[in-house]
Amino acid sequence: MLENSSISRNVKVAAVIAWALLAALALALVMPRIAQAEVKRADVIAGKTVEERDLSVADCPSIDAKFAALVSSDGSVLFARSADEQSQIASITKVMTAIVALDNAKEGTRVVVSERAATVGESSANLIKGDSMDLDSALKALLVPSGNDAAIAIAETVGSQMIAANPSLGSDPVQVFVDAMNQKAASLGCTDTLYENPHGLDDGEFAGNLHSTANDQAKVAQCAMTYDAIRSIVGGGSTTITVDRDGSKAAVELETTDELLEMYDAAIGIKTGVTDLAGPSFMGAANKDGRELYAIVLGSSDELQRFRDAKTLFEWAYEHVSEVKLSNTSESTSMNAAGLTGNVPVFAEVSHGDWIDKTIKATLATPDAGITVFDLDGNVTQSVTLDDLHGNVKAGQKVGEVVFYQKNREVARQDLVACETVEAPNAIDALSVSWDRFIGGFSGKAERADSKIYSVMPIISNHRSNAA
């Protein structure tokens, strides 16, 4: 009996373990995959890999996306992960659709929804055949809920206008519109982008070679945000438009797909995208204290993670943004010339060649000027060129130039202007100077005063990457 009892207990334990394993397996199948955000040694930060810079993980953004790029509004690439590799971009395509529509639509354009547009499928603004609306409403239907129906309607309407203006473009309005999308991409410097439709669907009847790269789409984002209409739409969240429907006005509610607008205070758009081939993707924009950044995240593990990745990139960049003053000196003097009044910092003293002992105090043409820099890209240096001054020098006159560099790239340039007026020596003074120089020549005395540079650029970062 004891042996049978032991066997029974063992069977029960085995059954419990088996059920536990089955439950764990079932839970794993239904639970979403946890995003594996990471820092890769091949990730590129301001032109150099993490490995080349020998950066710690703490100094780098940890993200999940397969492809990513983060650029500033001037086009500087702050971060890149496989950013030149081809990827599907899904509905991020619609950003170029909006750009081309705004470039080519006639004033007062009314967008009409055809049967083809109303039945395209997938993401929709819930437009129906026969709906008519102004272009701004159509763009909202395109960008806010990612309406494929709006994409076709816009392409058909604007493409028809383009054909009417130039019949040699072709006979298919949508194809003419798509051709214009590719031409615009090329003009922006996109080197590996192909649009094949105005919405971004990439399977079934729309299967083909539609693709782009994170770096190319960063250029598109930079362009898109120069359009006030696009900025207003993508930063406005959910909204309602009014369409003409069956002889009356109808309100159409549009729910935004951009969750980053709620997750991150600095977010200002732009566009989501997701297909089986592309994976969850996002083109994002943020503006903090006037500094605008664009993040491209392609091939995330899930739809929420794409927003987390974009937020991570933005926050990382803003943490490494430094405001640097161009004039850094404790010397100052009063001035009233060249539009400058009151105390100004003395950047340098410039030797006057007609005198033995006189210099001219000089300040930057814009004494309080500063620049915003990315600190992981190194400290800012200055190169000062002083003019060889002779004759009368007036306050406000240019007496030199300063060029500022970061990583051998010019980031600012300023004239040096005289803070004071110094007259040339009169005849008696000139004779005295000549005599002093003659006598001084026997003792090795300098023939003119030395110029001095007072301003010294501060160290903005102690990262090891700056030591190179």
Side-chain angles (χ1 to χ4, degrees):
M1 290 293 294
L2 289 175
E3 183 177 342
N4 290 338
S5 176
S6 177
I7 293 172
S8 177
R9 284 196 299 273
N10 289 340
V11 169
K12 289 180 179 179
V13 170
V16 170
I17 292 173
W19 277 109
L21 290 173
L22 287 172
L25 177 61
L27 185 61
L29 290 174
V30 299
M31 287 290 288
R33 182 172 76 86
I34 297 175
Q36 299 298 315
E38 61 179 338
V39 173
K40 296 184 177 181
R41 302 297 288 174
D43 288 346
V44 177
I45 292 177
K48 288 187 176 182
T49 66
V50 171
E51 185 172 17
E52 289 171 332
R53 289 183 178 277
D54 194 23
L55 292 173
S56 68
V57 170
D59 282 330
C60 308
S62 180
I63 62 171
D64 167 75
K66 294 179 182 178
F67 316 99
L70 179 71
V71 303
S72 61
S73 57
D74 66 1
S76 300
V77 181
L78 305 182
F79 176 87
R81 172 178 291 178
S82 301
D84 288 318
E85 293 186 22
Q86 285 187 11
S87 172
Q88 303 291 329
I89 60 169
S91 285
I92 291 175
T93 295
K94 295 183 175 80
V95 177
M96 181 57 79
T97 302
I99 292 171
V100 172
L102 288 167
D103 282 350
N104 293 279
K106 293 181 178 180
E107 186 176 355
T109 291
R110 298 288 296 179
V111 176
V112 179
V113 180
S114 66
E115 176 73 18
R116 178 184 180 184
T119 59
V120 64
E122 300 292 340
S123 60
S124 172
N126 296 317
L127 303 176
I128 63 175
K129 179 182 177 182
D131 282 352
S132 172
M133 69 209 80
D134 58 37
L135 181 61
D136 184 68
S137 295
L139 290 173
K140 289 177 181 177
L142 173 79
L143 296 171
V144 176
S146 195
N148 294 332
D149 44 6
I152 292 290
I154 290 170
E156 288 179 334
T157 299
V158 178
S160 295
Q161 292 178 351
M162 295 167 69
I163 292 172
N166 184 2
S168 66
L169 292 175
S171 58
D172 181 351
V174 173
Q175 186 58 54
V176 167
F177 188 92
V178 172
D179 289 344
M181 293 171 66
N182 286 309
Q183 291 166 11
K184 183 68 174 183
S187 74
L188 295 177
C190 298
T191 58
D192 198 3
T193 294
L194 178 64
Y195 294 105
E196 293 185 328
N197 58 58
H199 41 65
L201 293 175
D202 53 25
D203 63 356
E205 65 175 299
F206 300 109
N209 192 30
L210 166 68
H211 66 268
S212 188
T213 68
N215 274 338
D216 277 4
Q217 287 305 301
K219 295 181 176 71
V220 175
Q222 186 180 359
C223 172
M225 296 301 277
T226 65
Y227 292 76
D228 291 340
I230 294 177
R231 290 183 73 93
S232 175
I233 292 169
V234 300
S238 299
T239 189
T240 301
I241 61 172
T242 300
V243 302
D244 291 333
R245 177 177 293 173
D246 296 330
S248 61
K249 302 291 184 181
V252 179
E253 295 182 359
L254 306 175
E255 184 175 352
T256 184
T257 60
D258 184 355
E259 296 180 36
L260 190 63
L261 293 172
E262 295 295 327
M263 293 172 56
Y264 187 47
D265 288 343
I268 55 173
I270 303 178
K271 188 71 190 72
T272 59
V274 59
T275 64
D276 289 342
L277 288 177
S281 301
F282 183 57
M283 172 190 285
N287 192 303
K288 187 174 183 180
D289 298 328
R291 183 173 177 84
E292 192 151 303
L293 301 174
Y294 311 114
I296 310 300
V297 175
L298 306 177
S300 287
S301 58
D302 62 59
E303 295 191 25
L304 182 59
Q305 185 62 32
R306 58 185 169 175
F307 302 121
R308 290 173 175 155
D309 279 355
K311 182 180 178 181
T312 294
L313 289 172
F314 288 138
E315 289 185 330
W316 167 79
Y318 286 128
E319 286 173 1
H320 287 283
V321 166
S322 296
E323 300 292 332
V324 179
K325 291 175 58 179
L326 296 184
S327 188
N328 299 274
T329 171
S330 60
E331 301 291 323
S332 65
T333 190
S334 60
M335 182 177 176
N336 186 16
L340 302 176
T341 58
N343 277 354
V344 295
V346 177
F347 193 99
E349 288 188 17
V350 187
S351 173
H352 193 300
D354 294 343
W355 294 93
I356 290 178
D357 57 353
K358 289 191 177 183
T359 59
I360 299 169
K361 294 177 181 178
T363 190
L364 295 180
T366 308
D368 58 353
I371 55 174
T372 304
V373 296
F374 186 57
D375 65 18
L376 290 178
D377 210 15
N379 292 311
V380 177
T381 60
Q382 65 188 29
S383 176
V384 183
T385 302
L386 302 179
D387 293 346
D388 184 15
L389 300 180
H390 296 275
N392 296 329
V393 176
K394 302 296 184 182
Q397 177 181 325
K398 178 179 178 295
V399 295
E401 183 180 61
V402 188
V403 183
F404 300 88
Y405 297 92
Q406 188 183 33
K407 284 289 184 183
N408 299 317
R409 178 175 65 89
E410 182 180 326
V411 293
R413 181 182 293 260
Q414 284 267 326
D415 286 342
L416 280 172
V417 296
C419 300
E420 55 191 336
T421 295
V422 175
E423 302 288 346
N426 58 32
I428 296 175
D429 289 332
L431 184 61
S432 176
V433 168
S434 295
W435 175 253
D436 287 343
R437 282 176 175 165
F438 174 75
I439 297 299
F442 293 104
S443 61
K445 185 178 178 181
E447 293 190 352
R448 63 192 293 176
D450 290 332
S451 296
K452 298 177 183 179
I453 307 297
Y454 291 114
S455 183
V456 178
M457 295 305 297
I459 294 175
I460 61 173
S461 173
N462 291 319
H463 296 287
R464 282 188 291 174
S465 60
N466 291 332

PDB file of all heavy atoms in Angstrom, residues 326-359:
ATOM      1  N   LEU A 326      29.197  82.349 -27.557  1.00  0.00           N
ATOM      2  CA  LEU A 326      30.361  82.530 -28.428  1.00  0.00           C
ATOM      3  C   LEU A 326      31.397  83.458 -27.816  1.00  0.00           C
ATOM      4  O   LEU A 326      32.579  83.377 -28.152  1.00  0.00           O
ATOM      5  CB  LEU A 326      29.920  83.071 -29.795  1.00  0.00           C
ATOM      6  CG  LEU A 326      29.012  82.146 -30.616  1.00  0.00           C
ATOM      7  CD1 LEU A 326      28.736  82.762 -31.974  1.00  0.00           C
ATOM      8  CD2 LEU A 326      29.636  80.762 -30.769  1.00  0.00           C
ATOM      9  N   SER A 327      30.964  84.343 -26.933  1.00  0.00           N
ATOM     10  CA  SER A 327      31.898  85.234 -26.253  1.00  0.00           C
ATOM     11  C   SER A 327      31.973  84.827 -24.793  1.00  0.00           C
ATOM     12  O   SER A 327      30.966  84.870 -24.073  1.00  0.00           O
ATOM     13  CB  SER A 327      31.438  86.693 -26.379  1.00  0.00           C
ATOM     14  OG  SER A 327      32.417  87.571 -25.876  1.00  0.00           O
ATOM     15  N   ASN A 328      33.169  84.428 -24.354  1.00  0.00           N
ATOM     16  CA  ASN A 328      33.345  83.920 -22.992  1.00  0.00           C
ATOM     17  C   ASN A 328      34.556  84.613 -22.363  1.00  0.00           C
ATOM     18  O   ASN A 328      35.698  84.148 -22.453  1.00  0.00           O
ATOM     19  CB  ASN A 328      33.546  82.409 -23.021  1.00  0.00           C
ATOM     20  CG  ASN A 328      32.369  81.659 -23.622  1.00  0.00           C
ATOM     21  OD1 ASN A 328      31.413  81.346 -22.931  1.00  0.00           O
ATOM     22  ND2 ASN A 328      32.434  81.393 -24.913  1.00  0.00           N
ATOM     23  N   THR A 329      34.295  85.744 -21.755  1.00  0.00           N
ATOM     24  CA  THR A 329      35.359  86.567 -21.191  1.00  0.00           C
ATOM     25  C   THR A 329      34.822  87.361 -20.016  1.00  0.00           C
ATOM     26  O   THR A 329      33.637  87.713 -19.984  1.00  0.00           O
ATOM     27  CB  THR A 329      35.917  87.526 -22.262  1.00  0.00           C
ATOM     28  OG1 THR A 329      36.813  88.456 -21.647  1.00  0.00           O
ATOM     29  CG2 THR A 329      34.807  88.298 -22.952  1.00  0.00           C
ATOM     30  N   SER A 330      35.706  87.656 -19.075  1.00  0.00           N
ATOM     31  CA  SER A 330      35.314  88.488 -17.934  1.00  0.00           C
ATOM     32  C   SER A 330      35.588  89.963 -18.195  1.00  0.00           C
ATOM     33  O   SER A 330      35.182  90.827 -17.411  1.00  0.00           O
ATOM     34  CB  SER A 330      36.078  88.045 -16.678  1.00  0.00           C
ATOM     35  OG  SER A 330      37.479  88.174 -16.873  1.00  0.00           O
ATOM     36  N   GLU A 331      36.288  90.268 -19.304  1.00  0.00           N
ATOM     37  CA  GLU A 331      36.592  91.654 -19.652  1.00  0.00           C
ATOM     38  C   GLU A 331      35.367  92.319 -20.299  1.00  0.00           C
ATOM     39  O   GLU A 331      34.655  91.685 -21.087  1.00  0.00           O
ATOM     40  CB  GLU A 331      37.769  91.717 -20.626  1.00  0.00           C
ATOM     41  CG  GLU A 331      39.051  91.098 -20.116  1.00  0.00           C
ATOM     42  CD  GLU A 331      39.664  91.905 -18.992  1.00  0.00           C
ATOM     43  OE1 GLU A 331      39.576  93.157 -19.057  1.00  0.00           O
ATOM     44  OE2 GLU A 331      40.219  91.301 -18.057  1.00  0.00           O
ATOM     45  N   SER A 332      35.161  93.578 -20.002  1.00  0.00           N
ATOM     46  CA  SER A 332      34.050  94.300 -20.622  1.00  0.00           C
ATOM     47  C   SER A 332      34.403  95.777 -20.753  1.00  0.00           C
ATOM     48  O   SER A 332      35.330  96.275 -20.103  1.00  0.00           O
ATOM     49  CB  SER A 332      32.761  94.141 -19.802  1.00  0.00           C
ATOM     50  OG  SER A 332      32.902  94.758 -18.535  1.00  0.00           O
ATOM     51  N   THR A 333      33.659  96.457 -21.595  1.00  0.00           N
ATOM     52  CA  THR A 333      33.849  97.894 -21.787  1.00  0.00           C
ATOM     53  C   THR A 333      32.551  98.498 -22.288  1.00  0.00           C
ATOM     54  O   THR A 333      31.645  97.767 -22.734  1.00  0.00           O
ATOM     55  CB  THR A 333      34.990  98.165 -22.800  1.00  0.00           C
ATOM     56  OG1 THR A 333      35.307  99.559 -22.780  1.00  0.00           O
ATOM     57  CG2 THR A 333      34.582  97.765 -24.207  1.00  0.00           C
ATOM     58  N   SER A 334      32.436  99.807 -22.224  1.00  0.00           N
ATOM     59  CA  SER A 334      31.239 100.474 -22.727  1.00  0.00           C
ATOM     60  C   SER A 334      31.415 100.777 -24.204  1.00  0.00           C
ATOM     61  O   SER A 334      32.536 100.988 -24.687  1.00  0.00           O
ATOM     62  CB  SER A 334      30.964 101.758 -21.943  1.00  0.00           C
ATOM     63  OG  SER A 334      32.050 102.650 -22.070  1.00  0.00           O
ATOM     64  N   MET A 335      30.297 100.824 -24.930  1.00  0.00           N
ATOM     65  CA  MET A 335      30.349 101.033 -26.375  1.00  0.00           C
ATOM     66  C   MET A 335      29.075 101.722 -26.833  1.00  0.00           C
ATOM     67  O   MET A 335      27.995 101.480 -26.292  1.00  0.00           O
ATOM     68  CB  MET A 335      30.535  99.684 -27.081  1.00  0.00           C
ATOM     69  CG  MET A 335      30.643  99.763 -28.594  1.00  0.00           C
ATOM     70  SD  MET A 335      30.940  98.120 -29.312  1.00  0.00           S
ATOM     71  CE  MET A 335      30.904  98.536 -31.063  1.00  0.00           C
ATOM     72  N   ASN A 336      29.206 102.547 -27.858  1.00  0.00           N
ATOM     73  CA  ASN A 336      28.035 103.178 -28.455  1.00  0.00           C
ATOM     74  C   ASN A 336      28.294 103.360 -29.953  1.00  0.00           C
ATOM     75  O   ASN A 336      28.587 104.451 -30.432  1.00  0.00           O
ATOM     76  CB  ASN A 336      27.741 104.520 -27.789  1.00  0.00           C
ATOM     77  CG  ASN A 336      26.451 105.130 -28.292  1.00  0.00           C
ATOM     78  OD1 ASN A 336      25.621 104.453 -28.909  1.00  0.00           O
ATOM     79  ND2 ASN A 336      26.268 106.428 -28.043  1.00  0.00           N
ATOM     80  N   ALA A 337      28.200 102.256 -30.672  1.00  0.00           N
ATOM     81  CA  ALA A 337      28.446 102.270 -32.121  1.00  0.00           C
ATOM     82  C   ALA A 337      27.947 100.961 -32.707  1.00  0.00           C
ATOM     83  O   ALA A 337      27.781  99.951 -32.003  1.00  0.00           O
ATOM     84  CB  ALA A 337      29.938 102.439 -32.418  1.00  0.00           C
ATOM     85  N   ALA A 338      27.691 100.973 -34.020  1.00  0.00           N
ATOM     86  CA  ALA A 338      27.265  99.764 -34.754  1.00  0.00           C
ATOM     87  C   ALA A 338      26.035  99.121 -34.137  1.00  0.00           C
ATOM     88  O   ALA A 338      25.878  97.900 -34.151  1.00  0.00           O
ATOM     89  CB  ALA A 338      28.413  98.751 -34.827  1.00  0.00           C
ATOM     90  N   GLY A 339      25.167  99.976 -33.549  1.00  0.00           N
ATOM     91  CA  GLY A 339      23.952  99.457 -32.946  1.00  0.00           C
ATOM     92  C   GLY A 339      24.156  98.843 -31.579  1.00  0.00           C
ATOM     93  O   GLY A 339      23.219  98.281 -31.004  1.00  0.00           O
ATOM     94  N   LEU A 340      25.358  98.936 -31.032  1.00  0.00           N
ATOM     95  CA  LEU A 340      25.655  98.362 -29.721  1.00  0.00           C
ATOM     96  C   LEU A 340      25.829  99.495 -28.717  1.00  0.00           C
ATOM     97  O   LEU A 340      26.623 100.417 -28.934  1.00  0.00           O
ATOM     98  CB  LEU A 340      26.927  97.518 -29.783  1.00  0.00           C
ATOM     99  CG  LEU A 340      26.922  96.361 -30.784  1.00  0.00           C
ATOM    100  CD1 LEU A 340      28.286  95.675 -30.818  1.00  0.00           C
ATOM    101  CD2 LEU A 340      25.829  95.361 -30.441  1.00  0.00           C
ATOM    102  N   THR A 341      25.096  99.418 -27.635  1.00  0.00           N
ATOM    103  CA  THR A 341      25.195 100.432 -26.593  1.00  0.00           C
ATOM    104  C   THR A 341      25.337  99.758 -25.237  1.00  0.00           C
ATOM    105  O   THR A 341      24.850  98.638 -25.028  1.00  0.00           O
ATOM    106  CB  THR A 341      23.944 101.337 -26.574  1.00  0.00           C
ATOM    107  OG1 THR A 341      22.776 100.524 -26.371  1.00  0.00           O
ATOM    108  CG2 THR A 341      23.813 102.115 -27.871  1.00  0.00           C
ATOM    109  N   GLY A 342      26.015 100.453 -24.313  1.00  0.00           N
ATOM    110  CA  GLY A 342      26.200  99.909 -22.980  1.00  0.00           C
ATOM    111  C   GLY A 342      27.421  99.015 -22.905  1.00  0.00           C
ATOM    112  O   GLY A 342      28.298  99.026 -23.776  1.00  0.00           O
ATOM    113  N   ASN A 343      27.476  98.216 -21.846  1.00  0.00           N
ATOM    114  CA  ASN A 343      28.610  97.326 -21.651  1.00  0.00           C
ATOM    115  C   ASN A 343      28.560  96.158 -22.629  1.00  0.00           C
ATOM    116  O   ASN A 343      27.502  95.553 -22.837  1.00  0.00           O
ATOM    117  CB  ASN A 343      28.641  96.797 -20.220  1.00  0.00           C
ATOM    118  CG  ASN A 343      29.305  97.775 -19.259  1.00  0.00           C
ATOM    119  OD1 ASN A 343      29.843  98.803 -19.694  1.00  0.00           O
ATOM    120  ND2 ASN A 343      29.261  97.471 -17.976  1.00  0.00           N
ATOM    121  N   VAL A 344      29.722  95.832 -23.191  1.00  0.00           N
ATOM    122  CA  VAL A 344      29.851  94.677 -24.085  1.00  0.00           C
ATOM    123  C   VAL A 344      31.083  93.892 -23.674  1.00  0.00           C
ATOM    124  O   VAL A 344      32.044  94.452 -23.125  1.00  0.00           O
ATOM    125  CB  VAL A 344      29.982  95.114 -25.565  1.00  0.00           C
ATOM    126  CG1 VAL A 344      28.714  95.791 -26.050  1.00  0.00           C
ATOM    127  CG2 VAL A 344      31.203  95.994 -25.769  1.00  0.00           C
ATOM    128  N   PRO A 345      31.090  92.570 -23.910  1.00  0.00           N
ATOM    129  CA  PRO A 345      32.276  91.777 -23.576  1.00  0.00           C
ATOM    130  C   PRO A 345      33.429  92.083 -24.529  1.00  0.00           C
ATOM    131  O   PRO A 345      33.221  92.248 -25.733  1.00  0.00           O
ATOM    132  CB  PRO A 345      31.792  90.336 -23.745  1.00  0.00           C
ATOM    133  CG  PRO A 345      30.658  90.418 -24.709  1.00  0.00           C
ATOM    134  CD  PRO A 345      29.991  91.743 -24.443  1.00  0.00           C
ATOM    135  N   VAL A 346      34.612  92.190 -23.988  1.00  0.00           N
ATOM    136  CA  VAL A 346      35.803  92.423 -24.821  1.00  0.00           C
ATOM    137  C   VAL A 346      36.361  91.063 -25.223  1.00  0.00           C
ATOM    138  O   VAL A 346      36.949  90.345 -24.408  1.00  0.00           O
ATOM    139  CB  VAL A 346      36.863  93.242 -24.070  1.00  0.00           C
ATOM    140  CG1 VAL A 346      38.118  93.410 -24.944  1.00  0.00           C
ATOM    141  CG2 VAL A 346      36.308  94.596 -23.657  1.00  0.00           C
ATOM    142  N   PHE A 347      36.151  90.713 -26.480  1.00  0.00           N
ATOM    143  CA  PHE A 347      36.628  89.420 -26.988  1.00  0.00           C
ATOM    144  C   PHE A 347      38.139  89.452 -27.171  1.00  0.00           C
ATOM    145  O   PHE A 347      38.830  88.463 -26.896  1.00  0.00           O
ATOM    146  CB  PHE A 347      35.940  89.111 -28.320  1.00  0.00           C
ATOM    147  CG  PHE A 347      36.111  87.698 -28.787  1.00  0.00           C
ATOM    148  CD1 PHE A 347      35.116  86.754 -28.587  1.00  0.00           C
ATOM    149  CD2 PHE A 347      37.276  87.294 -29.441  1.00  0.00           C
ATOM    150  CE1 PHE A 347      35.265  85.443 -29.010  1.00  0.00           C
ATOM    151  CE2 PHE A 347      37.438  85.990 -29.874  1.00  0.00           C
ATOM    152  CZ  PHE A 347      36.428  85.062 -29.654  1.00  0.00           C
ATOM    153  N   ALA A 348      38.663  90.609 -27.640  1.00  0.00           N
ATOM    154  CA  ALA A 348      40.096  90.710 -27.925  1.00  0.00           C
ATOM    155  C   ALA A 348      40.536  92.159 -27.889  1.00  0.00           C
ATOM    156  O   ALA A 348      39.717  93.089 -27.909  1.00  0.00           O
ATOM    157  CB  ALA A 348      40.392  90.110 -29.301  1.00  0.00           C
ATOM    158  N   GLU A 349      41.845  92.348 -27.813  1.00  0.00           N
ATOM    159  CA  GLU A 349      42.454  93.649 -28.050  1.00  0.00           C
ATOM    160  C   GLU A 349      43.339  93.499 -29.276  1.00  0.00           C
ATOM    161  O   GLU A 349      44.179  92.594 -29.339  1.00  0.00           O
ATOM    162  CB  GLU A 349      43.276  94.118 -26.847  1.00  0.00           C
ATOM    163  CG  GLU A 349      42.420  94.541 -25.669  1.00  0.00           C
ATOM    164  CD  GLU A 349      43.251  95.192 -24.571  1.00  0.00           C
ATOM    165  OE1 GLU A 349      44.395  95.602 -24.849  1.00  0.00           O
ATOM    166  OE2 GLU A 349      42.749  95.270 -23.433  1.00  0.00           O
ATOM    167  N   VAL A 350      43.120  94.376 -30.256  1.00  0.00           N
ATOM    168  CA  VAL A 350      43.811  94.267 -31.540  1.00  0.00           C
ATOM    169  C   VAL A 350      44.871  95.357 -31.638  1.00  0.00           C
ATOM    170  O   VAL A 350      44.591  96.540 -31.436  1.00  0.00           O
ATOM    171  CB  VAL A 350      42.817  94.393 -32.712  1.00  0.00           C
ATOM    172  CG1 VAL A 350      43.536  94.110 -34.035  1.00  0.00           C
ATOM    173  CG2 VAL A 350      41.645  93.431 -32.527  1.00  0.00           C
ATOM    174  N   SER A 351      46.084  94.964 -31.943  1.00  0.00           N
ATOM    175  CA  SER A 351      47.193  95.897 -32.033  1.00  0.00           C
ATOM    176  C   SER A 351      46.981  96.903 -33.162  1.00  0.00           C
ATOM    177  O   SER A 351      46.520  96.554 -34.250  1.00  0.00           O
ATOM    178  CB  SER A 351      48.487  95.127 -32.277  1.00  0.00           C
ATOM    179  OG  SER A 351      49.566  96.003 -32.526  1.00  0.00           O
ATOM    180  N   HIS A 352      47.314  98.176 -32.881  1.00  0.00           N
ATOM    181  CA  HIS A 352      47.282  99.227 -33.912  1.00  0.00           C
ATOM    182  C   HIS A 352      48.709  99.410 -34.417  1.00  0.00           C
ATOM    183  O   HIS A 352      49.614  99.788 -33.652  1.00  0.00           O
ATOM    184  CB  HIS A 352      46.738 100.528 -33.326  1.00  0.00           C
ATOM    185  CG  HIS A 352      46.387 101.543 -34.371  1.00  0.00           C
ATOM    186  ND1 HIS A 352      47.308 102.058 -35.266  1.00  0.00           N
ATOM    187  CD2 HIS A 352      45.200 102.157 -34.688  1.00  0.00           C
ATOM    188  CE1 HIS A 352      46.735 102.918 -36.071  1.00  0.00           C
ATOM    189  NE2 HIS A 352      45.437 103.003 -35.741  1.00  0.00           N
ATOM    190  N   GLY A 353      48.923  99.175 -35.704  1.00  0.00           N
ATOM    191  CA  GLY A 353      50.272  99.149 -36.255  1.00  0.00           C
ATOM    192  C   GLY A 353      50.977 100.471 -36.331  1.00  0.00           C
ATOM    193  O   GLY A 353      52.205 100.510 -36.528  1.00  0.00           O
ATOM    194  N   ASP A 354      50.274 101.576 -36.173  1.00  0.00           N
ATOM    195  CA  ASP A 354      50.922 102.886 -36.256  1.00  0.00           C
ATOM    196  C   ASP A 354      51.422 103.369 -34.905  1.00  0.00           C
ATOM    197  O   ASP A 354      52.077 104.423 -34.819  1.00  0.00           O
ATOM    198  CB  ASP A 354      49.949 103.922 -36.829  1.00  0.00           C
ATOM    199  CG  ASP A 354      49.586 103.621 -38.285  1.00  0.00           C
ATOM    200  OD1 ASP A 354      50.313 102.831 -38.916  1.00  0.00           O
ATOM    201  OD2 ASP A 354      48.573 104.163 -38.762  1.00  0.00           O
ATOM    202  N   TRP A 355      51.080 102.640 -33.860  1.00  0.00           N
ATOM    203  CA  TRP A 355      51.493 103.018 -32.510  1.00  0.00           C
ATOM    204  C   TRP A 355      52.351 101.903 -31.905  1.00  0.00           C
ATOM    205  O   TRP A 355      52.255 100.751 -32.293  1.00  0.00           O
ATOM    206  CB  TRP A 355      50.290 103.244 -31.598  1.00  0.00           C
ATOM    207  CG  TRP A 355      49.423 104.408 -31.965  1.00  0.00           C
ATOM    208  CD1 TRP A 355      48.326 104.390 -32.748  1.00  0.00           C
ATOM    209  CD2 TRP A 355      49.593 105.759 -31.561  1.00  0.00           C
ATOM    210  NE1 TRP A 355      47.774 105.630 -32.866  1.00  0.00           N
ATOM    211  CE2 TRP A 355      48.546 106.520 -32.134  1.00  0.00           C
ATOM    212  CE3 TRP A 355      50.530 106.425 -30.759  1.00  0.00           C
ATOM    213  CZ2 TRP A 355      48.400 107.875 -31.948  1.00  0.00           C
ATOM    214  CZ3 TRP A 355      50.383 107.788 -30.562  1.00  0.00           C
ATOM    215  CH2 TRP A 355      49.333 108.507 -31.151  1.00  0.00           C
ATOM    216  N   ILE A 356      53.139 102.277 -30.927  1.00  0.00           N
ATOM    217  CA  ILE A 356      53.949 101.278 -30.226  1.00  0.00           C
ATOM    218  C   ILE A 356      53.162 100.624 -29.102  1.00  0.00           C
ATOM    219  O   ILE A 356      53.324  99.438 -28.824  1.00  0.00           O
ATOM    220  CB  ILE A 356      55.229 101.935 -29.650  1.00  0.00           C
ATOM    221  CG1 ILE A 356      56.176 102.306 -30.785  1.00  0.00           C
ATOM    222  CG2 ILE A 356      55.946 100.994 -28.672  1.00  0.00           C
ATOM    223  CD1 ILE A 356      57.438 103.002 -30.317  1.00  0.00           C
ATOM    224  N   ASP A 357      52.291 101.387 -28.484  1.00  0.00           N
ATOM    225  CA  ASP A 357      51.683 100.934 -27.232  1.00  0.00           C
ATOM    226  C   ASP A 357      50.156 100.923 -27.221  1.00  0.00           C
ATOM    227  O   ASP A 357      49.539 100.864 -26.161  1.00  0.00           O
ATOM    228  CB  ASP A 357      52.168 101.821 -26.081  1.00  0.00           C
ATOM    229  CG  ASP A 357      51.841 103.302 -26.333  1.00  0.00           C
ATOM    230  OD1 ASP A 357      51.364 103.623 -27.442  1.00  0.00           O
ATOM    231  OD2 ASP A 357      52.065 104.119 -25.416  1.00  0.00           O
ATOM    232  N   LYS A 358      49.528 100.972 -28.406  1.00  0.00           N
ATOM    233  CA  LYS A 358      48.069 101.063 -28.405  1.00  0.00           C
ATOM    234  C   LYS A 358      47.415  99.828 -29.020  1.00  0.00           C
ATOM    235  O   LYS A 358      47.853  99.337 -30.069  1.00  0.00           O
ATOM    236  CB  LYS A 358      47.590 102.312 -29.151  1.00  0.00           C
ATOM    237  CG  LYS A 358      47.885 103.599 -28.395  1.00  0.00           C
ATOM    238  CD  LYS A 358      47.186 104.786 -29.016  1.00  0.00           C
ATOM    239  CE  LYS A 358      47.448 106.052 -28.195  1.00  0.00           C
ATOM    240  NZ  LYS A 358      46.722 107.224 -28.742  1.00  0.00           N
ATOM    241  N   THR A 359      46.373  99.369 -28.362  1.00  0.00           N
ATOM    242  CA  THR A 359      45.508  98.316 -28.887  1.00  0.00           C
ATOM    243  C   THR A 359      44.082  98.835 -28.907  1.00  0.00           C
ATOM    244  O   THR A 359      43.759  99.833 -28.248  1.00  0.00           O
ATOM    245  CB  THR A 359      45.570  97.039 -28.019  1.00  0.00           C
ATOM    246  OG1 THR A 359      45.159  97.368 -26.687  1.00  0.00           O
ATOM    247  CG2 THR A 359      46.967  96.447 -28.018  1.00  0.00           C
TER     248      THR A 359
END
